[in-house]
């Protein structure tokens, strides 16, 4: 928290209200002026800060906005009236009255004229005749006209119009007005003059009764507090002060003394008896001393975080202490010397500058339903491919290709220009030390080249004689050479050409124009120019643009030479390409983003041989950003990428801001007498071509001046932002000099450069907060001399209170304690969201504001890392929730992020309520949030990186810039900050929840050589020749364990009961997840070394081993790793039955899966549901394949199987696809229908032929899964004869599960047979046993106490699968649950209907929130496992579901 009693809110009650109003009032007009206005009402006199007291001087002019000490007169005003005749038959009557002292003067105006468009055009006059002052309190509907008058509509009634005005300003002497019929544009005047009505004049006071300003402030505060501490607009704030003042004046007029007022307002219930005035009453204690005394009291109290009420009390106590000193006889000078010591006064002065009026120190965030900001806007074709239409090459393009192949030396440059309907090729090569320039065109007209050589881009130097081709004519500074018909190298082409050779390597290029039949041909109005310098080497290692909008990127590359001329050219070309990019979808827009990003990071040339006005750049930016705004509006699924493009391009100028860049630098030079040196060089650069570098240069100058002209600071700012001396010298108008200013120029330069910075940012910066706010709130800047002015109107329709939020943000934007700032930024973004989804002309300004708020969150969080160093977990969690909210607000598809955010809210609530599970639950939310970040990074990589690589290769971008492209995009957003915060919290949660650094899935002690791989999937079919410990960064859950692998260690989080986990335990392979990145990094450093792993149930101890330490038995074991005996299968034959009921299940007909489910039926307790089942037995597939109707399919499969035997594994997919072409024999359909109906199952065909076709396709998919890659390679490893593998199909009705579970009746991690281990997921069980990321809810339960399950981990799986009432067809092969080979999960179970993937919200899940419900469900799962284990007499691996609280078991097998 801030170490400032003053900073937090109002302590010093006596600083003038006018000062407060100046702060607030300046905000909507100009954010830039906020800081300047903070000190408008303070003066420094000598070494003391004095707060200005504005006392009313009767009879003297006072601006109406300044609010003085309130003065009550005891002399009532007299009533005045006047009558006027308008246009002969219209009567105007004006009445003026003041009802009582201290009240407003009321002016009633009545006109015998009825019009709905009648306006009073008016103002009041104080002490300067003819000068109108505009009162702050105005009738409803009043508008300010050109800041010179007010216009108030009359109220129409029958044939007359009425208006009542109340004037509160006691200095107002008269009211002047005209009347306007706006519809007819008709003015009513008083004989050609203004109507002038005198107001009541107050008599000179024989007695003044004052209400001190500090009491007005307290009364205003109390009113504000009663109204719920609202965010007031400046107008509301003024009204509140006036109302507070009026309330006190009325009390005084009724006889209440100021002392009684003070006693009441400062909560002193003892009325003060007014006797003889005391010393303290006759001597006024200066407010500055009260402020200092209050500060001293606060320091002595330990700088507590006072509430606003406490601060007011403290201030009054300080006043009492000083009054007591006066009573004892001390003088004010003595008190001053006593309390003003050292830095106290300076510190108090600093506190006053940060004091906030009518502001809560933290904004009150609205309670929102976070689901309201969920976006499910996903582009379906993320990796769509765009088929290129073969491009027809022009004559010159064909010629250029042939000529390049002909040239023996390297190509330094190649350009093809348009010459009306023809082309011009310029090819520059280098051979034997000479530069060769070859020009060719397909134009039929006679052409002459008017050319020269240059050492800089703008020179025209006469070529030396040995460089002039035959027929050339030397002129003064150039030469002319005619083109000749044909080409010596390629006579078949109908072109005219010429060749130039230059052997002087000091020449850098050739400028030229072309003369054709007396007409000059130029390059878009400029000279042609070709450089001799060698282009960056184009890389050819990024393929053919796969995963990109290749046609668009090729077009961008073609136009890059034109785009290099200036930002105007680049932005206009981008605008021309937007339609094509949009049509190409997300990948098209990704191409534009990559191009603009390469530009922004200076990988592309910004300006080359082209002088362009800033206003032209601004206009081009406006055109591009307008088009992007249209895409944002019409295609919400692309908003995230459009935001990124906009922030890269910059805002562009509205009005004539672009031209002001040129104009204002001249004014700065003139006003501050700095017309030479660096400022003149910068001026020339700005006039030639302004760029985002100018924002950095301006900031460097400001930093240099603020550092007392330290030139090192100037260079540091430049270098920190990527601008070196070499870059300054590379501009077409180079900056050679360093700044060198005089001390007397400091104040003016800081003022003018500060204003100039806003102009530069308005054009170039897309994420600058101050200029973005000003652009939305509106501002006006008058022109000076020859300069144009600019006026930006506020964006209409912004939510009420939004300006106050932005003001809060700007007031706190540099605070060290960033938490209140983050809350303000996010509240502003939330308030802005509805406006961002509406179409309006100024939408892009709101987008830029949102981008700026987003960016400020990131910088604030990074600044706040230090305050989190010793922070409690709940504070880190709160920061995580704020940053996560920010990321969600910037994302197109944010449903997962929103549910993560709701998870953090629940975790915080659990933590604050001391729930014993808070850390365990928070760890699951952390894991899910990490998964969400990983998915987002992968999406960016998929969308952006291929385009960056392909376009980067075409444009010759530095390889390092291409390689880190997507990484830098991610780092620039909130995801990087969020990841850092998660890394800080993770070890805290693991320690609190006693999780340790490991989760051991298969605890096998082993020894092996360390190998590091990215994905287990990539090496699952590999065979290692020596025992290998794999450190795999990614393990999804369905992979095979490679031969020769003795351990798999991963930071990934596969479920303990996932297929890969089961296979690891079956194969006696050590398998564990490591949560500590430091431990994992240390293991990776041991790559190639021999390690021993000793796992326990919760840890893995590892140590390095020397090979000589092994015994012979161990060595033999290492050599024999991976060797297995072949597994034989009995061939299954067709029994003559296409379908059987569960009573007919035998080992010859079906696999163990079907037999086990039939065995359970009728044997388990009635509370355990067993789904009804039928089966398609072994041999049916082969029999169907042999049917005549499927002869062609059978022949095709036999051909493919031969290829498979020969080692062509690519045919596996084709075999599966071919199986889907099988036709169903009528007998199969009839038998299956009969068995299903007789068993009480629904028959799909009853719902129509289409439903049966869905079922038949699902059956074929189960049969085809025999050729799954994973299954095929797994059977090969154990030498199982794949030909003998038969597939039955178990048919069951799908239970549309609320939850699914898997039970192991012996804890697989510890081997403890007294303990049941189970995992639970929402929806269907496929997310548990399949390759779905995240963890399930896991628990253990002692068999001796089945009613006390112990949670081991809460769920982090982001999605669940749900399905309608349907049928599922389960694989049931003869190659599963064999001795030494489980084979579980290798083959597919296929529901007839597609599952719906639902993003899960655990924060509203009964299993998470309701402890009794959770205990009931988990206990029933444990009891079911224990009962089924008892039935079989052996450990079981059980799968089941929960529906409406009832438990169903869908299969069981022996636990391996």
């Amino acid at each position: 928290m801030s170490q400032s009693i003053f900073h937090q809110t109002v302590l010093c009650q006596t600083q003038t209200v006018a000062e407060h109003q100046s702060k607030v009032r300046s905000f909507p007009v100009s954010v830039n002026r906020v800081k300047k206005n903070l000190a408008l009402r303070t003066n420094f006199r000598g070494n003391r800060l004095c707060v200005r007291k504005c006392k009313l001087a009767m009879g003297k002019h006072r601006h109406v906005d300044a609010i003085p000490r309130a003065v009550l007169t005891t002399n009532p005003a007299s009533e005045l009236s006047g009558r006027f005749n308008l246009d002969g038959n219209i009567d105007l009557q004006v009445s003026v009255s003041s009802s009582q002292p201290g009240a407003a003067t009321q002016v009633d105006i009545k006109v015998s004229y009825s019009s709905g468009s009648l306006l009073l055009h008016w103002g009041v006059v104080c002490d300067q005749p003819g000068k109108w002052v505009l009162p702050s309190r105005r009738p409803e509907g009043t508008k300010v006209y050109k800041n010179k008058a007010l216009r108030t509509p009359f109220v129409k009634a029958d044939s007359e119009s009425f208006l009542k005005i109340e004037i509160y300003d006691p200095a107002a002497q008269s009211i002047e007005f005209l009347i306007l019929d706006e519809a007819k544009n008709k003015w009513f005047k008083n004989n050609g003059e203004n109507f002038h009505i005198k107001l009541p004049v107050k008599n000179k006071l024989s007695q003044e009764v004052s209400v001190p300003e500090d009491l007005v402030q307290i009364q205003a505060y109390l009113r504000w507090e009663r109204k719920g501490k609202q965010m007031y607009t400046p107008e509301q704030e003024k009204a509140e002060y006036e109302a507070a003042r009026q309330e006190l004046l009325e009390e005084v007029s009724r006889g209440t003394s100021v002392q009684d007022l003070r006693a009441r307002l400062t909560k002193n219930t003892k009325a003060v008896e007014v006797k003889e005035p005391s010393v303290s009453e006759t001597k006024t204690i200066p407010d500055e001393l009260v402020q200092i005394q209050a500060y001293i009291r606060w320091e002595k109290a330990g700088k507590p975080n006072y509430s606003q009420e406490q601060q007011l009390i403290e201030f009054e106590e300080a006043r009492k202490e000083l009054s007591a000193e006066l009573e004892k006889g001390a003088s004010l000078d003595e008190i001053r010397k006593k309390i003003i010591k050292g830095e106290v006064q300076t510190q108090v002065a600093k506190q006053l500058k940060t004091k906030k009026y009518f502001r809560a120190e933290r904004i009150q965030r609205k309670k929102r339903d976070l689901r309201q900001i969920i976006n499910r806007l996903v582009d379906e074709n993320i990796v769509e491919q765009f088929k290129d239409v073969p491009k027809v090459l022009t004559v010159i393009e064909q010629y250029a290709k042939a000529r390049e192949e002909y040239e023996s030396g390297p190509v330094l440059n190649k350009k093809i220009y348009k010459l009306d309907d023809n082309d011009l090729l310029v090819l520059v090569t280098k051979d034997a030390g000479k530069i060769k320039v070859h020009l060719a065109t397909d134009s039929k007209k006679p052409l002459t080249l008017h050319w020269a050589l240059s050492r800089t881009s703008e020179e025209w130097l006469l070529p030396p004689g040995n460089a002039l081709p035959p027929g050339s004519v030397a002129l003064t500074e150039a030469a002319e050479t005619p083109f000749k018909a044909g080409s010596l190298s390629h006579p078949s082409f109908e072109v005219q050409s010429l060749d130039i050779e230059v052997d002087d390597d000091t020449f850098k290029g050739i400028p030229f124009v072309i003369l054709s039949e007396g007409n000059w041909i130029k390059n878009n109005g400029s000279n042609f120019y070709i450089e001799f310098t060698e282009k960056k080497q184009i890389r050819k290692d990024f393929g053919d643009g796969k995963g990109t909008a290749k046609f668009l990127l090729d077009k961008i590359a073609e136009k890059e030479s034109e785009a290099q001329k200036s930002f105007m050219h680049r932005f206009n070309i981008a605008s021309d390409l937007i339609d094509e990019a949009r049509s190409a979808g997300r990948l098209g827009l990704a191409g534009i983003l990559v191009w603009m990003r390469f530009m922004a990071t200076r990988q592309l040339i910004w300006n080359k041989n082209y002088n362009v006005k800033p206003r032209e750049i601004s206009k081009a930016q406006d055109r591009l950003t307008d088009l992007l705004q249209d895409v944002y509006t019409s295609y919400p699924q692309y908003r995230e990428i459009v935001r990124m493009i906009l922030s890269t391009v910059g805002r562009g100028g509205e009005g004539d801001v672009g031209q002001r860049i040129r104009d204002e630098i001249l004014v700065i030079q003139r006003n501050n007498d700095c017309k030479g040196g660096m400022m003149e060089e910068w001026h020339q650069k700005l006039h030639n071509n302004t760029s985002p570098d100018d924002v950095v240069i301006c900031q460097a100058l400001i930093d240099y001046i603020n550092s007392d002209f330290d030139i090192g600071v100037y260079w540091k700012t430049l270098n920190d932002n990527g601008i070196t001396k070499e870059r300054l010298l590379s501009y077409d108008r180079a900056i050679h000099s360093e700044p060198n200013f005089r001390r007397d120029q400091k104040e003016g330069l800081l003022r003018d450069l500060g204003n100039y910075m806003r102009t530069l940012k308005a054009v170039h910066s897309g994420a600058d907060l101050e200029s973005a706010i000003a652009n939305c709130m509106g501002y006006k800047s008058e022109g000076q001399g020859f300069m144009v002015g600019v006026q930006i109107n506020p964006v209409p329709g912004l939510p009420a209170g939004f300006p106050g939020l932005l003001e809060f943000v700007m007031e706190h934007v540099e605070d060290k304690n960033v938490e209140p700032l983050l809350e303000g930024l996010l509240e502003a973004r939330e308030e802005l969201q509805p406006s961002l989804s509406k179409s309006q002309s100024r939408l892009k300004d709101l987008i830029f504001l949102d981008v700026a708020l987003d960016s400020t969150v990131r910088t604030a969080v990074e600044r706040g890392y230090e305050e989190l160093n010793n922070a409690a977990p709940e504070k880190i969690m709160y920061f995580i929730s704020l940053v996560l909210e920010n990321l969600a607000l910037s994302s197109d598809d944010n449903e997962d992020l929103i549910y993560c955010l709701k998870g953090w809210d629940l975790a915080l609530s659990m933590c604050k309520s001391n729930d014993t599970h808070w850390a365990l639950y928070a760890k699951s939310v952390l894991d899910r949030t990490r998964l969400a970040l990983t998915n987002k990074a992968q999406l960016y990589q998929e969308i952006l990186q291929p385009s960056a690589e392909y376009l980067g290769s075409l444009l010759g971008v530095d390889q390092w810039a291409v390689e880190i492209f997507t990484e830098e995009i991610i780092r620039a957003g909130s995801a990087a900050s969020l990841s850092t915060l998660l890394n800080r919290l993770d070890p805290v949660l693991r320690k609190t929840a006693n999780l340790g650094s490991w989760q051991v899935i298969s605890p096998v002690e082993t020894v092996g050589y360390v190998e590091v791989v990215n994905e287990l999937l990539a090496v699952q079919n590999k065979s290692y020749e020596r025992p290998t410990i794999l450190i795999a960064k990614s393990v999804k859950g369905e992979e095979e364990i490679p031969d020769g692998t003795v351990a798999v260690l991963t930071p990934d989080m596969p479920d303990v009961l996932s297929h890969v986990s089961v296979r690891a335990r079956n194969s006696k392979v050590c398998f564990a997840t490591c949560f500590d990145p430091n431990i994992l990094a240390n293991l990776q450093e041991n790559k190639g070394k021999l390690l021993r792993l000793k796992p326990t149930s919760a840890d893995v101890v590892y140590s390095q081993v020397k090979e000589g330490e092994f015994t012979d038995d161990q060595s033999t074991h290492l050599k024999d790793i991976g060797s297995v005996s072949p597994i034989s299968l009995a061939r299954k034959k067709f029994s003559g039955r296409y379908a059987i009921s569960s009573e007919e299940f035998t080992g010859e007909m079906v696999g163990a899966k079907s037999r086990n489910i039939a065995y359970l039926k009728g044997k388990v307790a009635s509370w355990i549901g067993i789904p009804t089942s039928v089966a398609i037995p072994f041999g049916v597939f082969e029999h169907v394949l042999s049917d005549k109707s499927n002869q062609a399919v059978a022949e095709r499969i036999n051909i493919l199987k031969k290829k498979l035997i020969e080692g062509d594994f690519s045919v596996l997919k084709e075999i599966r696809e071919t199986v889907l072409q099988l036709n169903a024999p009528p007998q199969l359909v009839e038998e299956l229908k009969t068995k299903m109906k007789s068993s009480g199952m629904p028959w799909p065909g009853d719902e129509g032929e289409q439903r049966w076709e869905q079922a038949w396709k699902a059956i074929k998919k189960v049969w085809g899964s025999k050729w799954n890659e994973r299954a095929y390679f797994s059977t090969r490893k154990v030498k199982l004869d794949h030909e003998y593998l038969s597939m039955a199909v178990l048919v069951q009705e799908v239970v549309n599960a609320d939850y699914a579970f898997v039970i192991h009746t012996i804890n697989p991690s510890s081997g403890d047979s007294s303990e049941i281990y189970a995992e639970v997921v929402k929806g269907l069980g496929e997310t548990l046993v399949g390759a779905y990321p995240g963890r399930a809810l896991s628990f253990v339960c002692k068999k001796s106490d089945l009613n006390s399950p112990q949670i081991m981990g809460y769920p982090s799986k982001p999605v669940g699968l749900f399905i309608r009432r349907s049928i599922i067809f389960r694989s049931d092969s003869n190659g599963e649950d064999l001795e030494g080979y489980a084979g579980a999960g290798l083959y597919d179970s296929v529901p007839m209907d597609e599952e719906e993937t639902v993003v899960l919200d655990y924060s509203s899940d009964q299993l998470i929130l309701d402890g009794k419900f959770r205990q009931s469900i988990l206990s029933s799962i444990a009891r079911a496992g224990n009962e089924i284990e008892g039935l079989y007499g052996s450990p079981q691996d059980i799968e089941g579901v929960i529906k409406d609280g009832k438990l169903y078991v869908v299969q069981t097998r022996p636990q391996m």
Side-chain angles (χ1 to χ4, degrees), residues 876-1029:
I876 303 176
M877 287 195 288
Y878 184 53
F879 265 61
I880 286 171
S881 69
L882 293 173
V883 181
L884 182 56
E885 181 182 0
N886 192 59
L887 182 62
L889 289 171
S890 302
S891 300
D892 285 343
D893 181 24
N894 66 3
E895 189 172 13
D896 190 17
L897 297 173
I898 293 297
Y899 291 146
C900 287
L901 180 56
K902 292 186 71 180
W904 284 112
D905 289 345
L906 178 57
L908 269 166
S909 175
M910 293 171 68
C911 180
K912 290 174 181 176
S913 62
N914 296 316
D915 189 307
T916 55
H917 283 201
W918 78 264
L920 199 60
Y921 176 73
K923 180 65 169 72
S924 72
V925 182
L926 184 146
D927 291 341
R928 178 175 181 176
T929 308
R930 272 187 173 150
L931 277 175
L933 290 181
T934 300
N935 292 338
K936 193 164 188 66
Q938 287 175 345
L939 181 66
Y940 276 12
Q941 188 78 18
E942 198 173 346
I943 293 169
L944 300 178
Q945 194 60 30
S947 293
E949 292 174 352
Y950 184 67
L951 186 60
S953 71
L954 295 177
L955 301 181
V957 171
D958 290 336
Q959 188 164 353
W960 64 267
V962 170
E963 290 171 352
I964 66 169
F965 183 86
T966 303
E967 181 184 343
E968 287 302 306
I969 290 281
I970 294 169
R971 285 178 182 275
S974 294
S977 303
L978 183 55
S979 180
T980 300
L981 292 171
L982 295 175
N983 290 340
R984 284 191 177 215
L985 183 63
D986 193 346
V988 177
L989 295 181
R990 283 192 279 108
K991 182 177 180 181
T992 306
N994 299 311
L995 292 176
S997 300
W998 293 88
Q999 179 171 25
V1000 179
I1001 297 170
S1002 176
V1004 177
E1005 184 175 343
T1006 191
V1007 176
Y1009 295 91
V1010 175
E1011 288 293 332
V1012 180
V1013 297
N1014 282 323
E1015 296 179 330
L1016 182 60
L1017 184 66
V1019 296
Q1020 67 174 347
N1021 300 323
K1022 187 172 180 178
S1023 292
Y1024 291 98
E1025 295 181 357
R1026 58 182 186 175
T1028 299
I1029 298 171

Side-chain angles (χ1 to χ4, degrees), residues 5 294-304 344 347:
I5 187 173
Y295 180 85
I296 292 170
R297 286 175 55 82
W298 174 65
E299 265 197 330
K300 286 179 179 178
K303 298 184 177 180
V344 171
Q347 290 169 352

Side-chain angles (χ1 to χ4, degrees), residues 414-425:
K414 184 184 94 169
K415 296 276 181 69
I416 295 178
Y417 297 101
K418 293 299 293 182
L419 300 181
D420 295 327
D421 296 330
N422 302 108
D423 293 328
L424 170 68
L425 166 69

Side-chain angles (χ1 to χ4, degrees), residues 794-810:
V795 174
L798 291 174
F802 190 62
L805 268 177
L806 296 181
E807 182 179 4
F808 178 90
V809 165
M810 290 308 298

Side-chain angles (χ1 to χ4, degrees), residues 200-368:
V201 179
K202 313 289 184 184
N203 293 332
K204 288 192 175 180
L205 294 177
S206 58
Q207 178 184 0
E208 280 191 2
V209 182
S210 301
V211 178
E213 201 66 32
D214 63 324
L215 298 187
V216 177
Q217 291 178 348
I218 296 173
Q219 180 72 1
Y221 171 80
L222 294 173
R223 286 174 56 85
W224 174 65
E225 194 179 49
R226 285 198 300 268
K227 294 184 177 184
K229 300 183 180 180
Q230 306 169 37
M231 280 288 192
Y232 285 145
T233 64
E235 290 74 19
Q236 289 171 318
E237 208 165 301
K238 291 175 185 177
E240 280 297 302
Y241 266 91
E242 286 290 346
R245 184 188 311 281
Q246 206 61 41
E247 288 174 352
L248 298 183
L249 283 171
E250 288 172 5
E251 286 196 57
V252 171
S253 70
R254 291 193 294 267
T256 304
S257 68
V258 173
Q259 289 83 358
D260 286 343
L261 279 180
R262 184 176 298 282
R264 177 178 65 77
L265 291 174
T266 56
K267 299 184 180 179
N268 183 354
T269 55
K270 295 179 181 179
V272 180
E273 269 187 46
V274 182
K275 297 180 181 178
E276 289 296 317
S278 65
V279 174
S280 61
E281 287 173 322
T282 56
K283 292 184 179 179
T284 303
I285 301 171
D287 290 331
E288 59 172 314
L289 295 185
V290 179
Q291 291 165 357
I292 293 171
Q293 182 68 11
Y295 180 85
I296 292 170
R297 286 175 55 82
W298 174 65
E299 265 197 330
K300 286 179 179 178
K303 298 184 177 180
N305 181 24
Y306 284 143
S307 69
Q308 293 168 324
E309 292 83 357
Q310 288 172 315
Q311 292 175 30
L312 293 171
I313 293 169
E314 278 294 304
F315 191 85
E316 194 57 32
E317 290 300 317
R319 185 186 299 280
K320 288 180 181 177
E321 288 178 353
L322 297 183
S323 297
E325 291 290 317
L326 286 176
E327 291 284 354
K328 294 175 183 177
S331 68
L332 286 176
D333 284 341
E334 288 172 337
I335 291 175
R336 191 184 305 282
K337 289 177 182 177
K338 179 180 178 181
I339 68 174
I340 297 180
K341 296 177 182 178
E343 295 295 317
V344 171
Q345 189 173 15
T346 304
Q347 290 169 352
V348 173
K350 288 178 180 176
Q351 303 296 348
L352 290 174
K353 289 182 180 179
T354 60
K355 188 167 57 175
K356 315 292 189 300
Y357 291 93
F358 276 15
R359 291 288 181 273
E361 178 59 22
R362 299 174 80 124
I363 55 104
Q364 292 295 318
R365 296 210 62 189
K366 293 180 182 177
K367 294 292 182 184
R368 292 181 173 85

